[in-house]
Amino acid sequence: MDFQTYKEKTELLKKMAHHYYVLDDPITSDDEYDRLYFELVAYEKDNPNHIDSTSPTQRVGDKIKENFEKITHIERMWSLDDVFNFDELNAWKNRINKYDTNITFMCDAKFDGASLNLTYDKGVLISAATRGDGNTGESILENAKMINSIPLSIPYLDKIEIRGEVIINKYDFEKINKERMQNNESIFANPRNAASGSLRQLDSKITKKRKLKFIPWGFGYFDIDENSFFNRLNMIKKFGFIDTKLSTKCNNLDEVEAFYNKLISIRHTYDIMLDGMVVRLDSLNLQNSLGYTAKNPRFAVAYKFPPIEKQTKILDISFSVGRSGVITPVAELEPINIEGASVSRATLYNFEEIEKKDIRINDNVLIIRSGDVIPKIIKPIKELRNGNEIKISKPSFCPICNSELLVENILIKCQNLQCKARVKNSIIHFCSKKAMNMMGLGDKIIDFLFEEKIINNILDIYKITREMLENKEGWKEKKIQNVLDSIQSSKNIELWRFINALGIEHIGENASKKLVELFGFRIFDISYDELIAVDGIGSESAKSLTIFMETNKELINELLKIIQPTIEKNNGILNGEIVVITGTLSISRDEMAKRLENLGANISSSISKKTTMLIAGINAGSKLDKARELGIRILNEYELNILINHN
């Protein structure tokens, strides 16, 4: 074979692959495809300098990564606000009508999978990244190349970000779970989890075996003179991507509702899980005018499908132990399939819920599950009772460590800090981002350290040495150093983080900051009466904190000696101010909140009569209107800087 023949046969193989994986319309037999595929592989092996990087033969996945690098999206990936019925959809439309009444909508089926951002330049796929936090995701280019419905090249030469959903169809999902069960591996809860887990494999060959598909639903950076979102997306689909034909333009909400009902009618028979419909303004100019809130675009919503309601039977009740020791009753159900997911458990939240609904073992019950929401028991079907139902009793002893439980009204708690379930979850929380911020100690690392008995409690984290990790399978120098550096960086951390990291029931991040500001290190010996006098600290929070401090006094003192947390001083410019932040600023909301807290302000998420100041960025919405109504002091970022610098 000469080079020209190689090029021609490569184009033919691309065409065959496109018809098979994208159009679902094969133009050749599997044998013929395989014959041509291996013919090209043989040529490429003898002529490595002639290899076409966009050939289907280059979807190999030989490289195994140690971890995923971070990559910043050119344009941010936003999550959508949800609406659940026509009235909520209409309310969203009415808010838009304040800006413009001449609007058209673009509606698109919402697939339940994992979002992916592809970047092409000069027609070649150069990067692929998960959504991440919206600004920065994980670079998974090698894995994306394993998905046959993602073209390695497109007939568009300028730079472009193409966004879509990576999915597994229902049949392949069931097949994967059967194989995992046969191999004694944990099964995926639903197709979305399977798609997400398959996409983030360090070994790309595993991704390749999972039969993932990529369905485009939008774009980020795309510099072209076309104002219609619908037209732009159709242009992208013609670049060689799957077109499900489940999108349309609508002139009014009646047409939107009709298309929504059409999608509902096919949701159970369609081979990919659908969990709703995306409704967005078709005009990109109007989209840009409306802008964004802190989390969501104002010009688009996810119109969610009604939850699916099914009947099953409660076979038994088990109890799970949370990181703070709270015991949660869980209904063990007769397995039932809902939207491709086998449901065999449902949380009952607490015993008040059980008593209020009069739920019993052996009851036939109605359960609902909507999208990725945890299955929930709506009610027992009392008409089907036959006398074999058993009332559910509160446990007296911990199901894990068998120690006596503390019962307080609704909550039932295990107080034993050596309880295995509690300790492990406590360590995971202790190391998390909002707590001690040990970035090198994620859930899987902690699972490993715990199972290997390297750590048995929080204190053991600070006893980890290099020698303990060396020669462990999968532990290379970089990974070991990351763990050791993370542990070291947690020392001298802010005191509020340390309080939050302890996982005290009812005491979260905001309460931790407030208590440290008021009491400093006295918080460890604070009385119930002092706490109950603090605005915003109720009796449950005060009781929980004082009991926790007394019960765990020895452990806390040991940790304080090692960590030596600090209290950030503030210059008091904003002492006593209750501040709400809204709109888009030059820095992130979190950064602005931290800056204001360092100046003494208390940050609130909502406007109330107690609010004393609103910091309003670009595209400030309803919070700005409410602040004006209440006569609250309003500052833009420029005015805030003047205030700070003047003081």
Side-chain angles (χ1 to χ4, degrees):
M1 187 191 313
D2 58 20
F3 180 57
Q4 183 60 35
T5 305
Y6 166 74
K7 287 172 61 178
E8 292 170 358
K9 290 192 174 186
T10 299
E11 290 304 314
L12 176 58
L13 189 67
K14 286 182 187 179
K15 184 177 181 179
M16 290 176 173
H18 179 70
H19 273 262
Y20 185 86
Y21 294 109
V22 177
L23 302 180
D24 198 19
D25 180 28
I27 58 174
T28 186
S29 67
D30 289 349
D31 288 343
E32 184 65 20
Y33 181 93
D34 290 343
R35 186 196 62 74
L36 181 56
Y37 180 94
F38 289 111
E39 186 180 344
L40 294 180
V41 168
Y43 176 84
E44 290 166 349
K45 184 177 180 182
D46 295 334
N47 302 273
N49 295 328
H50 291 173
I51 294 175
D52 181 346
S53 62
T54 65
S55 167
T57 61
Q58 297 310 295
R59 301 182 190 269
V60 180
D62 282 337
K63 298 176 183 176
I64 299 179
K65 288 178 171 286
E66 288 187 15
N67 51 46
F68 295 114
E69 298 175 357
K70 299 294 183 182
I71 186 169
T72 302
H73 309 308
I74 301 173
E75 291 189 9
R76 179 173 172 177
M77 295 183 73
W78 297 85
S79 58
L80 296 177
D81 200 7
D82 293 333
V83 297
F84 294 91
N85 54 55
F86 186 81
D87 289 340
E88 292 181 2
L89 182 69
N90 193 45
W92 166 73
K93 192 264 297 184
N94 289 338
R95 290 194 293 272
I96 293 170
N97 284 155
K98 294 177 183 178
Y99 297 88
D100 198 328
T101 56
N102 184 26
I103 56 178
T104 56
F105 305 95
M106 188 273 188
C107 300
D108 199 14
K110 186 174 182 295
F111 298 100
D112 197 12
S115 293
L116 184 64
N117 186 46
L118 306 174
T119 305
Y120 291 83
D121 194 15
K122 297 181 177 59
V124 177
L125 179 65
I126 60 170
S127 76
T130 60
R131 180 195 295 274
D133 64 4
N135 292 310
T136 304
E138 291 178 315
S139 177
I140 53 170
L141 178 60
E142 293 304 315
N143 290 4
K145 287 181 177 179
M146 298 302 104
I147 302 173
N148 286 290
S149 53
I150 294 179
L152 300 180
S153 62
I154 60 175
Y156 178 84
L157 300 183
D158 292 334
K159 183 171 282 190
I160 182 174
E161 287 182 303
I162 296 174
R163 288 162 179 179
E165 208 75 3
V166 174
I167 60 90
I168 289 179
N169 68 35
K170 295 174 184 176
Y171 170 78
D172 288 325
F173 167 71
E174 292 173 2
K175 189 176 178 182
I176 289 170
N177 268 350
K178 284 179 182 177
E179 290 174 357
R180 292 178 71 84
M181 288 177 67
Q182 289 170 358
N183 296 330
N184 293 320
E185 297 175 305
S186 60
I187 63 171
F188 291 114
N190 51 53
R192 181 184 60 79
N193 286 356
S196 180
S198 303
L199 195 58
R200 297 184 66 259
Q201 291 290 329
L202 294 174
D203 185 349
S204 298
K205 285 184 177 178
I206 297 176
T207 305
K208 187 175 184 178
K209 288 195 299 184
R210 294 281 171 84
K211 294 190 177 179
L212 301 176
K213 293 181 179 179
F214 176 83
I215 300 173
W217 47 250
F219 44 84
Y221 180 81
F222 188 9
D223 188 13
I224 189 171
D225 186 18
E226 170 56 67
N227 185 43
S228 166
F229 188 99
F230 183 76
N231 291 346
R232 282 200 188 190
L233 186 57
N234 280 341
M235 185 184 301
I236 285 170
K237 290 173 182 176
K238 291 174 183 176
F239 293 162
F241 292 94
I242 291 174
D243 184 357
T244 62
K245 308 294 185 184
L246 295 182
S247 60
T248 189
K249 281 175 69 171
C250 299
N251 294 311
N252 52 58
L253 286 198
D254 288 338
E255 292 181 9
V256 171
E257 188 71 3
F259 189 67
Y260 175 74
N261 289 326
K262 176 185 175 182
L263 293 179
I264 288 177
S265 71
I266 66 170
R267 70 188 292 198
H268 299 298
T269 55
Y270 200 70
D271 65 351
I272 302 169
M273 275 190 66
L274 304 173
D275 65 352
M277 178 176 82
V278 177
V279 186
R280 54 167 55 86
L281 300 183
D282 187 50
S283 167
L284 290 161
N285 290 337
L286 186 52
Q287 286 187 15
N288 292 332
S289 297
L290 287 170
Y292 304 83
T293 66
K295 295 181 180 178
N296 317 111
R298 291 190 174 92
F299 52 80
V301 289
Y303 192 2
K304 304 289 280 190
F305 286 158
I308 297 169
E309 187 175 281
K310 287 202 174 183
Q311 180 181 325
T312 188
K313 186 176 182 179
I314 297 179
L315 302 177
D316 201 357
I317 300 294
S318 60
F319 303 98
S320 67
V321 184
R323 62 175 170 78
S324 61
V326 173
I327 308 293
T328 302
V330 178
E332 303 293 338
L333 306 171
E334 202 167 75
I336 189 168
N337 189 283
I338 304 180
E339 282 292 89
S342 179
V343 175
S344 58
R345 308 182 90 214
T347 179
L348 290 168
Y349 299 104
N350 53 56
F351 283 91
E352 184 181 57
E353 178 92 353
I354 293 172
E355 291 168 5
K356 186 165 63 177
K357 293 182 177 178
D358 187 22
I359 296 172
R360 306 180 185 184
I361 297 171
N362 294 327
D363 260 337
N364 286 278
V365 293
L366 289 179
I367 66 169
I368 62 166
R369 179 180 179 272
S370 178
D372 59 358
V373 176
I374 297 169
K376 180 179 180 180
I377 292 177
I378 301 300
K379 64 175 184 179
I381 306 173
K382 295 181 181 179
E383 294 78 8
L384 297 180
R385 285 181 174 169
N386 58 16
N388 292 327
E389 294 75 27
I390 304 168
K391 286 197 172 185
I392 299 168
S393 302
K394 294 179 181 179
S396 301
F397 298 92
C398 175
I400 304 299
C401 67
N402 204 39
S403 62
E404 189 174 354
L405 297 172
L406 173 68
V407 179
E408 43 165 56
N409 296 329
I410 295 173
L411 297 180
I412 298 177
K413 301 174 72 175
C414 173
Q415 294 290 80
N416 178 15
L417 284 177
Q418 303 305 315
C419 175
K420 184 175 179 180
R422 184 173 182 185
V423 169
K424 183 176 175 181
N425 290 326
S426 294
I427 294 171
I428 289 172
H429 173 72
F430 187 83
C431 298
S432 65
K433 185 176 181 180
K434 288 288 188 180
M436 298 301 283
N437 198 26
M438 298 189 198
M439 299 304 289
L441 274 80
D443 295 8
K444 291 182 179 179
I445 298 288
I446 292 169
D447 280 340
F448 174 84
L449 297 173
F450 202 80
E451 295 307 316
E452 290 287 314
K453 296 185 170 37
I454 293 173
I455 57 173
N456 294 298
N457 53 54
I458 291 172
L459 269 176
D460 285 344
I461 293 171
Y462 295 95
K463 298 175 184 176
I464 295 174
T465 64
R466 184 180 301 278
E467 290 71 30
M468 291 178 179
L469 303 175
E470 285 176 339
N471 301 321
K472 296 288 185 185
E473 185 178 352
W475 283 76
K476 296 183 180 179
E477 174 58 29
K478 184 178 179 181
K479 188 174 181 180
I480 294 172
Q481 194 59 49
N482 281 344
V483 169
L484 297 177
D485 288 345
S486 293
I487 295 169
Q488 187 60 34
S489 69
S490 72
K491 295 179 180 178
N492 306 124
I493 205 160
E494 300 102 312
L495 180 59
W496 73 263
R497 282 187 172 276
F498 177 73
I499 301 293
N500 188 40
L502 293 173
I504 307 167
E505 193 70 37
H506 310 306
I507 305 297
E509 180 183 343
N510 290 332
S512 299
K513 289 177 179 177
K514 187 169 190 173
L515 292 170
V516 168
E517 180 186 335
L518 291 172
F519 302 111
F521 282 95
R522 272 207 319 120
I523 190 63
F524 298 108
D525 298 301
I526 207 75
S527 70
Y528 174 86
D529 291 336
E530 284 182 284
L531 283 171
I532 202 68
V534 176
D535 185 33
I537 301 294
S539 59
E540 285 187 350
S541 299
K543 181 182 177 183
S544 175
L545 190 141
T546 49
I547 291 175
F548 185 93
M549 293 302 184
E550 181 59 34
T551 304
N552 300 291
K553 198 167 190 175
E554 189 175 329
L555 170 65
I556 291 170
N557 285 336
E558 288 292 324
L559 288 170
L560 286 172
K561 288 176 189 176
I562 295 168
I563 297 168
Q564 297 183 22
T566 58
I567 299 177
E568 286 191 7
K569 303 286 184 185
N570 71 66
N571 61 16
I573 293 171
L574 299 179
N575 273 350
E577 299 280 1
I578 299 175
V579 181
V580 173
I581 305 167
T582 188
T584 304
L585 305 169
S586 63
I587 57 177
S588 71
R589 296 266 187 102
D590 285 346
E591 288 177 280
M592 179 59 78
K594 185 174 177 61
R595 182 183 182 194
L596 297 179
E597 285 173 339
N598 289 339
L599 296 172
N602 290 310
I603 305 301
S604 175
S605 60
S606 58
I607 296 283
S608 70
K609 291 180 180 179
K610 293 183 179 181
T611 306
T612 61
M613 184 184 296
L614 176 75
I615 307 302
I618 298 169
N619 294 322
S622 58
K623 289 180 182 176
L624 179 59
D625 296 334
K626 190 170 182 180
R628 285 172 176 154
E629 288 175 17
L630 296 174
I632 293 166
R633 185 182 185 186
I634 299 169
L635 299 177
N636 60 31
E637 200 169 353
Y638 175 73
E639 292 166 335
L640 176 64
N641 288 332
I642 290 176
L643 172 67
I644 293 170
N645 293 332
H646 177 72
N647 280 277

